[in-house]
């Protein structure tokens, strides 16, 4: 990792950390982007280079993009479901830091806020659309004629929704998801 990449990562983490702290103190609706930027010692313009909204600080949008990229790069010898589960298992393994758990916990506390629900729904929609596209590419099919990409995206949507709303101790393991998918699909 270059010095520049390290600085970018540190700035992103600092902004998220300050946002979480302010959300805990003042609530989501009581916190402004300007306050987050000031606490992180960056300009509001810099804040918006890293995050589109204050709600985004509660989510790992960069990691979701990595899941899609991992799924896209999975070996073609794997079926689409197995490739997606492989990508998701990397996601599960990477979420081990205290900051990630703090963000998850706060997100669950704030999940009834309209702006958080809206952002989460839009995020899930966007990632699901990407899963449809990648699955169609992997299968060499047209999504207007083949429902398999949409079906797989629906499975992915269920995993994400459960992930966002369930506490870590109650969250199913990815092997549990795999077994459930296999049972439903008769694999």
């Amino acid at each position: 990792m270059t010095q520049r990449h390290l600085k970018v990562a540190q700035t992103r983490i600092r902004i998220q950390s300050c946002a979480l702290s302010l959300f805990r103190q003042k609530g989501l609706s009581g916190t402004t982007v300007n306050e987050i930027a000031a606490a992180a010692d960056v300009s509001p313009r810099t804040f918006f280079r890293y995050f589109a909204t204050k709600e985004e600080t509660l989510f790992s949008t960069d990691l979701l993009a990595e899941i899609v990229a991992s799924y896209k790069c999975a070996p073609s010898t794997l079926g689409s479901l197995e490739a997606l589960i492989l990508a998701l298992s990397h996601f599960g393994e990477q979420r081990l830091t205290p900051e990630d758990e703090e963000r998850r916990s706060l997100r669950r506390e704030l999940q009834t806020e309209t702006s958080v629900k809206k952002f989460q729904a839009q995020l899930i929609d966007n990632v699901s659309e990407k899963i449809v596209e990648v699955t169609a590419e992997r299968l060499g099919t047209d999504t207007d004629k083949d429902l398999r990409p949409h079906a797989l995206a629906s499975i992915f949507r269920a995993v994400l929704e459960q992930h966002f709303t369930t506490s870590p101790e109650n969250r199913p393991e990815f092997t549990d998801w795999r077994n459930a998918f296999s049972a439903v699909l008769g694999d």
Side-chain angles (χ1 to χ4, degrees):
M1 180 178 276
T2 68
Q3 192 68 16
R4 183 182 184 308
H5 288 108
L6 182 60
K7 185 176 179 183
V8 166
Q10 289 170 336
T11 301
R12 182 178 182 82
I13 291 168
R14 188 171 68 247
I15 292 169
Q16 279 187 301
S17 178
C18 290
L20 297 180
S21 178
L22 286 167
F23 295 159
R24 287 221 185 269
Q25 292 172 20
K26 302 173 70 173
L28 182 74
S29 58
T31 304
T32 67
V33 168
N34 287 347
E35 290 171 324
I36 296 168
D41 198 28
V42 299
S43 70
R45 185 175 179 168
T46 299
F47 173 92
F48 286 114
R49 281 190 207 131
Y50 289 87
F51 302 97
T53 66
K54 64 184 178 182
E55 290 80 9
E56 187 177 348
T57 63
L58 292 168
F59 295 86
S60 299
T61 54
D62 54 332
L63 188 61
L64 291 172
E66 288 177 29
I67 292 171
V68 173
S70 177
Y71 175 50
K72 188 173 187 167
C73 295
S76 59
T77 55
L78 288 178
S80 294
L81 180 59
E82 283 299 317
L84 185 56
I85 289 171
L86 179 65
L88 285 169
S89 67
H90 294 302
F91 173 67
E93 292 166 7
Q94 292 180 24
R95 305 301 359 158
L96 302 174
T97 69
E99 293 83 12
D100 292 323
E101 285 306 323
E102 180 185 0
R103 199 168 51 247
R104 279 181 178 169
S105 172
L106 185 56
R107 190 172 56 233
R108 280 190 303 278
E109 289 175 31
L110 298 172
Q111 70 186 356
T112 58
E113 296 227 11
T114 303
S115 63
V116 174
K117 286 195 292 193
K118 184 178 177 182
F119 184 86
Q120 180 175 305
Q122 185 61 49
L123 180 62
I124 291 171
D125 286 346
N126 292 344
V127 175
S128 295
E129 287 174 22
K130 292 289 185 195
I131 296 297
V132 169
E133 291 171 20
V134 173
T135 304
E137 286 175 26
R138 288 180 61 84
L139 297 173
T141 189
D142 179 353
T143 58
D144 292 333
K145 298 175 182 168
D146 189 342
L147 293 178
R148 292 177 297 169
H150 296 284
L152 193 61
S154 295
I155 290 170
F156 182 74
R157 176 184 291 278
V159 172
L160 271 186
E161 286 173 350
Q162 179 133 24
H163 175 80
F164 286 148
T165 59
T166 307
S167 63
E169 58 276 1
N170 294 325
R171 192 172 297 129
E173 296 293 323
F174 289 108
T175 54
D176 297 332
W177 281 108
R178 177 188 295 124
N179 293 339
F181 298 152
S182 296
V184 167
L185 298 172
D187 289 345

